Amino acid sequence: MQHRKIRSFVRREGRITKSQQAALDKLLPLYSIEVKNEEKLDFGALFERDAKIAIEIGFGMGDSLIKMAQNYPDINFIGIEVHRPGIGAILNNIHAHKLSNLKIITHDAVEVLRNHIEHQSIDYLQIFFPDPWPKKKHHKRRLINNEFLAIVKDILKPTGYLHIATDWENYAESILELMQDSSHFQCQSNSAELDYEILCRPNTKFERRGLNLGHGVWDILCRCK
Ligand SMILES: C[S@@+](CC[C@H](N)C(=O)[O-])C[C@H]1O[C@@H](n2cnc3c(N)ncnc32)[C@H](O)[C@@H]1O
């Protein structure tokens, strides 16, 4: 029997502005990376330079990723998102700010990481405010689970790190439990003495929404053991 794939997102089109749609029509070929068959991405060729690679999964409207690409011009950034209004918005910003160190992929990130990224090739993987899927019956849709962490372990460089932020306490707890049981990662969470050399994370739209609802924020930083 064919099982339906459980994904961490549902494609809700939502409202798309004229300028976001125009960006999808005109700018997508300029700033997006196509993933094909089982081909691995060649970052040096895509960015026409060798540099550290940071991948962000689920950049939403992309404001914080744009700021990071501006703040760290020596790092090559790849944003992965499936939400079309957000993709249109970030394309307009990449174009307006003439950013040559940021490209996007419009595909399920789990498949991208599993099929198209060379092992031990990523310096930073960031996931800011992933969909929390708060109902218990939907927890199986949460992006961060054991299967996902096994893929992350393979693609991160031994010196690389994974940075997750969430405003859902129960999601933060479940991620930390997964990490404790994992023989692959060592983590720090909201520690005053973070000794990892981290890329600073600007505030995001969903973070502001969570804070307005009175939620806390948990930053979880993990290195390969
Ligand atoms: C709650 S939003 C957070 C957006 C943004 N990071 C922020 O903090 O404002 C989560 C985003 O992750 C995207 N997403 C979820 N699962 C994904 C996947 N497997 N591949 C790509 N994007 C995904 C969703 O489309 C959504 O835009």
Side-chain angles (χ1 to χ4, degrees):
M1 196 176 77
Q2 180 90 35
H3 286 284
R4 209 164 64 85
K5 216 183 278 175
I6 298 170
R7 297 199 192 261
S8 57
F9 59 89
V10 279
R11 283 187 201 268
R12 281 196 204 93
E13 183 60 26
R15 199 178 73 86
I16 186 152
T17 66
K18 274 193 185 154
S19 114
Q20 288 161 356
Q21 184 60 55
L24 288 170
D25 295 339
K26 293 202 187 110
L27 302 179
L28 196 60
L30 296 181
Y31 303 112
S32 74
I33 299 170
E34 252 190 85
V35 287
K36 287 184 252 164
N37 307 321
E38 301 282 301
E39 267 175 41
K40 305 287 183 203
L41 299 178
D42 177 349
F43 301 128
L46 286 166
F47 287 95
E48 297 176 346
R49 67 172 187 173
D50 284 323
K52 285 188 171 178
I53 296 283
I55 293 186
E56 177 162 341
I57 298 179
F59 55 74
M61 298 310 283
D63 297 1
S64 69
L65 183 53
I66 289 284
K67 281 191 199 142
M68 288 186 81
Q70 290 174 312
N71 292 345
Y72 296 98
D74 294 339
I75 294 178
N76 290 335
F77 287 86
I78 297 176
I80 310 180
E81 180 54 81
V82 290
H83 178 60
R84 283 165 43 86
I87 295 166
I90 204 167
L91 286 170
N92 276 328
N93 277 320
I94 296 174
H95 194 65
H97 297 288
K98 300 187 170 65
L99 293 174
S100 59
N101 64 330
L102 171 55
K103 300 196 181 293
I104 60 161
I105 298 178
T106 61
H107 196 79
D108 182 346
V110 177
E111 290 177 5
V112 175
L113 266 48
R114 186 197 292 123
N115 300 330
H116 303 288
I117 306 286
E118 295 279 8
H119 283 193
Q120 301 202 352
S121 65
I122 304 302
D123 295 278
Y124 309 102
L125 181 67
Q126 51 197 48
I127 308 168
F128 300 149
F129 304 90
D131 295 291
W133 294 108
K135 290 187 188 154
K136 201 157 189 192
K137 66 175 180 183
H138 290 147
H139 283 186
K140 57 180 180 291
R141 284 188 171 276
R142 285 179 168 176
L143 175 68
I144 298 149
N145 56 31
N146 272 324
E147 197 191 336
F148 176 76
L149 291 177
I151 300 172
V152 173
K153 179 213 79 161
D154 284 342
I155 61 160
L156 274 185
K157 285 185 185 167
T159 51
Y161 76 79
L162 166 66
H163 183 177
I164 302 167
T166 179
D167 60 322
W168 282 81
E169 186 166 18
N170 160 279
Y171 200 1
E173 281 167 2
S174 100
I175 295 167
L176 286 168
E177 265 168 38
L178 288 176
M179 295 299 187
Q180 263 155 22
D181 295 345
S182 149
S183 48
H184 304 308
F185 295 99
Q186 54 187 21
C187 300
Q188 297 177 330
S189 171
N190 286 17
S191 162
E193 292 161 29
L194 287 176
D195 57 12
Y196 293 6
E197 198 195 307
I198 64 163
L199 301 184
C200 287
R201 175 177 72 73
N203 288 338
T204 79
K205 183 177 166 191
F206 270 78
E207 176 173 24
R208 289 190 291 279
R209 195 163 96 166
L211 290 170
N212 283 338
L213 292 169
H215 296 181
V217 171
W218 289 265
D219 276 276
I220 302 169
L221 287 156
C222 303
R223 269 187 189 148
C224 295
K225 270 186 188 163

